[in-house]
């Protein structure tokens, strides 16, 4: 069931009985229309744009059949009054709201809502100003919803918060003929002290992860070196080849350093003597 049918079913059309005085005033209006014809047509014809609907009141009562338009229709002078309603989607910026979260952190949150009027008659007769009422209700709903959330939830679950707000607003504004189409949380501003504390915590976590990674790398490197040393200790020729490779890499740098390989065992024997 769409919004238009829902609005029409939820609203009873007023009966068009005018009473004795109503018929008399209607007759007077027709008489004035005939007397001042064709100049009276200037005040009697009404043009409604494609994106508008007109709610017509005859002697203070809404005409049966709901809102009129778009197009050209006729108003009886001195009897009918007309209120035009824009049916296009409108957007509101909710001003920043100072909110105390569930874990006692003060944050400033602002949002934007997109809504439209699906029933022009309900938006006129059920609420004084549908746009202003929707805006105030959105600000109150934002405070109520975020007041039940922790700071981590506010920062990480914006989409679920927006969906929850949309559901609450859509249900509350349905009697006003307003359909809330979308809600978006724009920005969450934290106090400066909280920003510094969160930055310090994030930096400490990064340093801890870096130290763990470095220690893990050193452990793996020591295991590899131990395995290489065990293999080279089993073959003295492999040690000499490693010496020659080291001399080759040093000579490639064109420096004046000269290295003479000397076995460590020989030094140990000399030191004992």
């Amino acid at each position: 069931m769409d919004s238009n049918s829902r609005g029409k079913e939820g609203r009873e059309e007023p009966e068009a009985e005018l009473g004795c005085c109503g018929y008399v005033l209607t007759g007077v209006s027709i008489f004035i229309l005939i007397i001042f014809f064709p100049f009276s047509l200037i005040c009697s014809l009404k043009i409604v744009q494609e994106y508008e609907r007109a709610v017509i009141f005859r002697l203070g009562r809404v005409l049966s059949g709901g809102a009129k338009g778009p197009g050209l229709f006729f108003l009886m002078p001195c009897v009918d009054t007309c209120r035009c309603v824009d049916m296009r989607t409108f957007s509101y910026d909710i001003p920043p709201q100072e909110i105390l979260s569930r874990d006692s952190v003060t944050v400033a949150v602002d949002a934007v809502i997109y809504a439209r009027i699906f029933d022009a008659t309900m938006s006129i007769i059920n609420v004084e100003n549908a746009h202003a009422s929707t805006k105030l209700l959105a600000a109150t709903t934002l405070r109520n919803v975020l007041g039940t959330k922790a700071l981590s939830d506010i920062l990480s679950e914006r989409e679920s918060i927006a969906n929850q707000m949309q559901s609450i607003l859509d249900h509350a504004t349905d009697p006003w003929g307003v359909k809330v189409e979308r809600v978006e949380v724009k920005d969450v501003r934290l106090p400066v002290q909280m920003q510094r504390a969160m930055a310090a915590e994030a930096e400490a976590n990064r340093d801890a992860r870096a130290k763990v990674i470095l220690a893990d790398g050193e452990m793996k490197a020591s295991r590899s070196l131990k395995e290489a040393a065990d293999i080279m200790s089993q073959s003295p020729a492999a040690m000499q080849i490693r010496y020659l490779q080291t001399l080759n890499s040093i000579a490639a740098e064109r420096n004046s350093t000269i290295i003479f390989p000397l076995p460590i065992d020989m030094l140990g024997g000399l030191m004992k003597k």
Side-chain angles (χ1 to χ4, degrees):
M1 181 183 300
D2 60 358
S3 300
N4 294 327
S5 61
R6 181 181 55 185
K8 292 180 180 178
E9 292 179 1
R11 181 187 73 250
E12 294 183 358
E13 298 290 348
E15 297 180 359
E17 295 183 2
L18 301 178
C20 182
C21 294
Y23 288 115
V24 171
L25 292 176
T26 303
V28 173
S29 175
I30 295 174
F31 178 75
I32 294 175
L33 182 64
I34 296 174
I35 292 296
F36 293 98
F37 186 84
F39 302 101
S40 58
L41 290 178
I42 299 176
C43 301
S44 300
L45 295 179
K46 180 68 176 179
I47 299 176
V48 176
Q49 304 295 333
E50 181 69 29
Y51 53 85
E52 292 180 330
R53 297 295 181 270
V55 181
I56 302 176
F57 295 87
R58 178 162 296 172
L59 297 177
R61 303 180 62 128
V62 180
L63 289 182
S64 60
K68 309 297 182 181
L72 178 68
F73 56 91
F74 181 79
L75 295 177
M76 297 184 65
C78 304
V79 176
D80 294 343
T81 56
C82 177
R83 293 280 301 274
C84 290
V85 179
D86 195 333
M87 307 295 288
R88 293 176 293 183
T89 299
F90 55 87
S91 61
Y92 287 136
D93 279 329
I94 303 177
Q97 304 292 314
E98 294 288 339
I99 299 169
L100 184 65
S101 63
R102 190 177 61 184
D103 48 356
S104 301
V105 178
T106 302
V107 295
V109 183
D110 56 351
V112 60
I113 63 172
Y114 299 90
R116 62 178 177 85
I117 294 177
F118 67 86
D119 192 303
T121 304
M122 295 175 65
S123 67
I124 293 296
I125 65 176
N126 289 351
V127 64
E128 180 181 2
N129 190 329
H131 289 220
S133 300
T134 303
K135 184 177 182 179
L136 293 176
L137 181 62
T140 305
T141 305
L142 178 65
R143 298 175 65 90
N144 293 338
V145 171
L146 295 184
T148 61
K149 304 290 185 180
L151 179 60
S152 58
D153 297 334
I154 296 175
L155 296 176
S156 60
E157 299 180 0
R158 293 191 181 187
E159 185 175 355
S160 62
I161 292 174
N163 293 334
Q164 183 179 357
M165 286 186 58
Q166 179 182 354
S167 177
I168 295 174
L169 289 173
D170 191 26
H171 183 269
T173 58
D174 186 73
W176 303 343
V178 177
K179 170 67 176 178
V180 178
E181 297 180 337
R182 189 179 182 88
V183 178
E184 291 291 342
V185 179
K186 293 173 58 179
D187 188 19
V188 179
R189 290 188 292 274
L190 302 176
V192 178
Q193 295 82 357
M194 179 60 65
Q195 295 179 10
R196 293 175 179 174
M198 294 178 66
E201 181 182 1
E203 185 177 0
N205 291 333
R206 289 194 298 269
D207 291 342
R209 288 195 298 269
K211 291 179 180 179
V212 171
I213 294 173
L214 180 61
D216 188 31
E218 291 181 351
M219 182 179 63
K220 292 180 179 179
S222 62
R223 289 177 180 175
S224 299
L225 290 174
K226 180 180 179 299
E227 293 176 359
D230 293 339
I231 295 173
M232 296 179 69
S233 63
Q234 297 175 3
S235 176
M239 185 66 69
Q240 296 297 326
I241 293 175
R242 183 58 183 165
Y243 286 153
L244 295 177
Q245 289 178 348
T246 304
L247 289 175
N248 186 25
S249 61
I250 294 174
E253 297 178 0
R254 296 182 180 179
N255 51 29
S256 58
T257 304
I258 300 175
I259 297 178
F260 295 96
L262 188 64
I264 301 298
D265 298 337
M266 184 181 297
L267 292 178
L270 294 175
M271 292 178 64
K272 290 179 180 180
K273 291 179 180 181

